[in-house]
Amino acid sequence: MLTLAADIEVLARFGRALADPIRCRILLALREAPAHPADLADTLEISRTRLSNHLACLRECGLVVAVPVGRRTRYELADERLGHALDDLRTAVVAVAADKTCADADEKGCC
């Protein structure tokens, strides 16, 4: 059980980062490989301004880092374990979504 305020705050930051579909897409793209913002914007089909705002949020959450490469900046996950965590979380969520143990789930909108 989490008891330390710092542990709870870290999980809350991770949750806030995942609360937006674009940030999820950015994290999953960076899980595959580090990328420059222009390339990410093209891949995700969003404006560079919008991407910049989301990257700033992910940096503030401590999930991504900006790495200078000459005159450009490349983004990557702050720690490779985040990629594993994203894989585990995605697998768990898919498994839970597929497991309709509640017979009234569709009617009640639960589970």
Side-chain angles (χ1 to χ4, degrees), residues 1 21 33 37 46 54-55 102 105 110-111:
M1 182 169 135
I46 61 174
H54 286 290
L55 286 172
C102 177
C110 62
C111 308

Side-chain angles (χ1 to χ4, degrees), residues 46-64:
I46 61 174
S47 71
R48 291 181 186 188
T49 301
R50 195 168 184 194
L51 176 73
S52 178
N53 291 334
H54 286 290
L55 286 172
C57 175
L58 291 171
R59 277 193 322 270
E60 290 171 13
C61 288
L63 299 177
V64 301

Side-chain angles (χ1 to χ4, degrees), residues 7 9 40 57 89:
D7 290 344
E9 177 57 31
L40 275 173
C57 175
L89 184 59

Side-chain angles (χ1 to χ4, degrees), residues 8-94:
I8 294 168
E9 177 57 31
V10 167
L11 284 176
R13 279 189 312 202
F14 191 63
R16 280 191 299 274
L18 294 177
D20 185 277
I22 291 175
R23 289 193 295 270
C24 288
R25 292 173 60 208
I26 292 168
L27 289 170
L28 290 172
L30 294 177
R31 181 186 132 285
E32 295 298 321
H36 296 282
D39 298 331
L40 275 173
D42 291 344
T43 299
L44 301 176
E45 298 179 340
I46 61 174
S47 71
R48 291 181 186 188
T49 301
R50 195 168 184 194
L51 176 73
S52 178
N53 291 334
H54 286 290
L55 286 172
C57 175
L58 291 171
R59 277 193 322 270
E60 290 171 13
C61 288
L63 299 177
V64 301
V65 293
V67 178
V69 180
R71 295 185 336 176
R72 298 179 72 193
T73 301
R74 182 185 72 222
Y75 282 85
E76 57 189 50
L77 294 178
D79 188 300
E80 68 180 41
R81 291 174 287 190
L82 287 170
H84 299 295
L86 288 167
D87 288 340
D88 291 344
L89 184 59
R90 189 168 53 173
T91 301
V93 169
V94 168

